[in-house]
Amino acid sequence: MTDSGLAPLPATDRPDVAALLRDALLAASFTADGLLDLLGAPAYAALARSETVPALRATRGDTPLETLVRLFLLQQPVPRARVAAVLPVEEALEGGWLRPVAGDEVAATVDVRPYGGPDGEDWFIVSDLGCAVGGAGGIGRRDQGVVLGVGGASMTLAGITVRTPVASALDLGTGSGIQALHASSHATRVTATDVNPRALHITALTLALSGASAADLREGSLFEPVRDDETFDLIVSNPPFVISPGARLTYRDGGMGGDDLCRSLVQQAGERLNEGGFAQFLANWQHVAGEEWQDRLRSWVPRGCDAWIVQREVQDVTQYAELWLRDAGDHRGDPAEYQARYDAWLDEFEARKVKAIGFGWITLRRTGAAEPSVTVEEWPHSIEQPLGEAIRAHFDRLAYLRDHDDAALLEGRFRLTTEVVQEQVGLPGAEDPEHVVLRQHRGMRRATKVDTIGAGFAGVCDGSLSAGRILDAIAQLVGEDPVLLRDRTPAQIRLLVEQGFLEPEH
């Protein structure tokens, strides 16, 4: 699975070599924690900005870990004898992980980056030399077939993915294999697809070097390699979502017009999900003159699916074009060529009446409900990652609210979620606050205004009493008619449940 125009990759049919290499890397503490200890926070952070000088200065010694950092992360030739003290050199050369260079030195054939799994696993992400995001060469290579390492988008998707144990998972557009690697920890069977055969080869290396189970790797675009009768419990994709004029770079440009690739991906996912299964994507979408962006995205949601779509960021077309021109390194080349490419982006947006581009997450859950729930919202504020459990709980709460009318809601019992605080806002010295705000310090970190009844209700929800009994007690305390209070409060309870301030007791 190699491309003739690119460097040869290590062999995927030598699991023995990958296992030996993994053991040697772990023995030298070539792990995420080991790197932080060696480099220190400033040099470690500099690597994420594609700046290598601090890391080079921090690895001037001859310890095993320094040798491995210079070899695999900084991609410097290292004397063979020095490497032999750390790695099984003969096997690594034979398996294609190393290559001889001038003199008696060896060099890495791929970038290998330590990566910490969610439960403390020591994993390794393989990518092409100079293409690990935040690695020695940064991003911006123009070769069509290069495979990048872990970037911010990959980390975001990994963090928002629901991690319940499942029988089957599908990673569309696997790239260097990070999503497939995560899925291998909680899915019995993992299938990964990519239009780029080199990406499938590198995914196999990532899984082998991380000690994970092998995945079913299939070449093709998005759902094309998936059989008509195949369905999955989890589908994830960090697709080539960049909205661009043309498809210059395989890893980011989808090749379809506008946001059609992301729309097609979302619309086709519904029929591929098992009942209760999740599909989770990162996406870009167009803000088109004369259209509400929320309505545009609602039209993407397939039948039979609940959906939660969160817009995290919006850029005007000039900001967006500049971001991805810099990603490709065009700003460092010929100014006339840069201007021509910039013009081409703006021409494309003008022709489509696009005024801005949104970025965010799309989560679907397959449901048998007669009226699925579709939530589209803008949330540019800080969140707490990983968010997967919060996303799963969001859909469970929506299902609960859908299945309970107001009478059933008042019979239910609720519990205030952890780390919710109450803030009272008003003039200094005032007897009563102007309003009360409940604020989450976990998950989405939402804040919502409530009246004194709502605040009092939430404060005593510990799962022991039904909502109706709590309201009756509050009515007696404040001198209100309990029937009227029961009539007007369910809407506020529904909001608190929907936004995650209250969890139903099942």
Side-chain angles (χ1 to χ4, degrees):
M1 290 186 188
T2 56
D3 297 334
S4 58
L6 298 169
L9 293 171
T12 57
D13 60 354
R14 294 295 307 272
D16 56 323
V17 175
L20 286 172
L21 195 57
R22 172 177 171 78
D23 290 344
L25 297 178
L26 293 177
S29 297
F30 188 65
T31 63
D33 289 341
L35 283 186
L36 184 59
D37 289 342
L38 171 68
L39 302 178
Y44 193 75
L47 274 180
R49 302 190 300 270
S50 302
E51 295 291 346
T52 60
V53 171
L56 284 165
R57 292 173 61 85
T59 55
R60 289 177 288 191
D62 58 1
T63 66
L65 182 53
E66 287 170 295
T67 298
L68 293 175
V69 171
R70 293 184 74 87
L71 188 66
F72 286 116
L73 281 186
L74 303 176
Q75 286 141 34
Q76 302 290 308
V78 179
R80 178 172 176 152
R82 185 171 160 190
V83 176
V86 187
L87 299 177
V89 170
E90 293 301 328
E91 291 87 347
L93 285 165
E94 183 183 340
W97 293 90
L98 300 177
R99 62 183 177 86
V101 292
D104 195 22
E105 293 184 321
V106 295
T109 58
V110 287
D111 186 298
V112 176
R113 177 165 295 269
Y115 177 78
D119 295 318
E121 302 96 337
D122 287 315
W123 288 339
F124 300 96
I125 307 298
V126 179
S127 63
D128 271 311
L129 294 173
C131 289
V133 175
I139 60 176
R141 288 277 300 278
R142 298 186 183 214
D143 301 295
Q144 286 287 320
V146 295
V147 179
L148 271 63
V150 179
S154 299
M155 298 282 283
T156 295
L157 179 59
I160 68 171
T161 299
V162 176
R163 296 292 174 200
T164 52
V166 294
S168 56
L170 173 64
D171 175 18
L172 294 173
T174 187
S176 59
I178 178 175
Q179 310 305 332
L181 180 58
H182 272 279
S184 72
S185 68
H186 65 102
T188 304
R189 175 173 57 87
V190 177
T191 302
T193 74
D194 206 289
V195 71
N196 181 5
R198 191 175 181 87
L200 298 176
H201 191 126
I202 284 182
T203 291
L205 298 176
T206 290
L207 294 172
L209 195 59
S210 297
S213 301
D216 180 2
L217 305 175
R218 304 182 192 177
E219 183 181 347
S221 178
L222 303 179
F223 287 105
E224 285 177 5
V226 179
R227 297 192 308 271
D228 290 343
D229 61 344
E230 280 186 291
T231 55
F232 301 87
D233 302 309
L234 174 67
I235 299 172
V236 293
S237 183
N238 175 20
F241 53 66
V242 177
I243 300 171
S244 60
R248 291 174 60 209
L249 300 171
T250 304
Y251 68 85
R252 69 166 207 196
D253 301 326
M256 295 187 188
D259 51 18
D260 284 354
L261 182 136
C262 291
R263 176 185 57 77
S264 298
L265 181 61
V266 174
Q267 289 179 336
Q268 293 173 26
E271 63 186 10
R272 301 294 188 177
L273 280 176
N274 293 325
E275 184 74 18
F278 285 92
Q280 299 187 266
F281 313 105
L282 300 186
N284 276 182
W285 44 78
Q286 298 172 149
H287 286 226
V288 179
E291 288 185 33
E292 293 293 332
W293 67 269
Q294 297 94 332
D295 292 340
R296 181 182 187 84
L297 289 172
R298 285 190 186 96
S299 74
W300 292 10
V301 178
R303 291 172 128 190
C305 288
D306 289 331
W308 186 16
I309 301 173
V310 181
Q311 180 167 274
R312 294 288 289 158
E313 184 180 358
V314 181
Q315 291 184 316
D316 67 50
V317 293
T318 59
Q319 292 174 308
Y320 189 80
E322 290 163 13
L323 169 68
W324 295 109
L325 286 166
R326 286 189 172 89
D327 168 81
D330 291 324
H331 62 301
R332 296 191 295 265
D334 176 42
E337 184 178 345
Y338 174 79
Q339 182 175 339
R341 291 193 186 280
Y342 201 149
D343 266 329
W345 283 69
L346 297 187
D347 285 345
E348 178 84 2
F349 289 138
E350 186 176 325
R352 295 179 177 275
K353 299 182 180 178
V354 177
K355 56 184 180 178
I357 305 294
F359 169 81
W361 325 317
I362 298 176
T363 301
L364 308 175
R365 185 171 72 169
R366 188 78 185 175
T367 177
E371 296 185 16
S373 168
V374 177
T375 302
V376 183
E377 63 175 319
E378 186 161 20
W379 191 256
H381 313 294
S382 66
I383 60 163
E384 180 195 45
Q385 284 274 42
L387 202 65
E389 178 57 23
I391 289 176
R392 183 205 58 77
H394 167 87
F395 282 90
D396 285 351
R397 292 193 304 270
L398 288 182
Y400 176 90
L401 292 173
R402 182 167 52 214
D403 294 341
H404 290 72
D405 60 15
D406 285 356
L409 196 70
L410 292 175
E411 289 298 317
R413 293 175 295 134
F414 302 91
R415 183 179 298 276
L416 188 68
T417 52
T418 57
E419 295 192 40
V420 172
V421 298
Q422 176 179 305
E423 301 171 359
Q424 297 188 172
V425 181
L427 293 173
E431 187 173 338
D432 296 312
E434 291 178 15
H435 60 262
V436 178
V437 173
L438 299 182
R439 187 179 301 278
Q440 301 166 349
H441 285 277
R442 304 293 299 273
M444 292 292 285
R445 294 176 173 162
R446 295 189 188 276
T448 190
K449 288 183 184 180
V450 293
D451 60 20
T452 53
I453 300 296
F457 176 86
V460 297
C461 279
D462 62 3
S464 61
L465 296 175
S466 70
R469 289 188 62 186
I470 292 173
L471 290 178
D472 290 345
I474 291 174
Q476 189 173 4
L477 271 176
V478 300
E480 281 206 38
D481 184 331
V483 175
L484 294 178
L485 193 60
R486 278 174 172 254
D487 283 345
R488 69 178 175 85
T489 307
Q492 194 167 187
I493 296 174
R494 285 185 181 278
L495 179 66
L496 292 174
V497 172
E498 181 181 343
Q499 294 192 344
F501 291 93
L502 297 176
E503 287 285 350
E505 288 277 296
H506 296 290

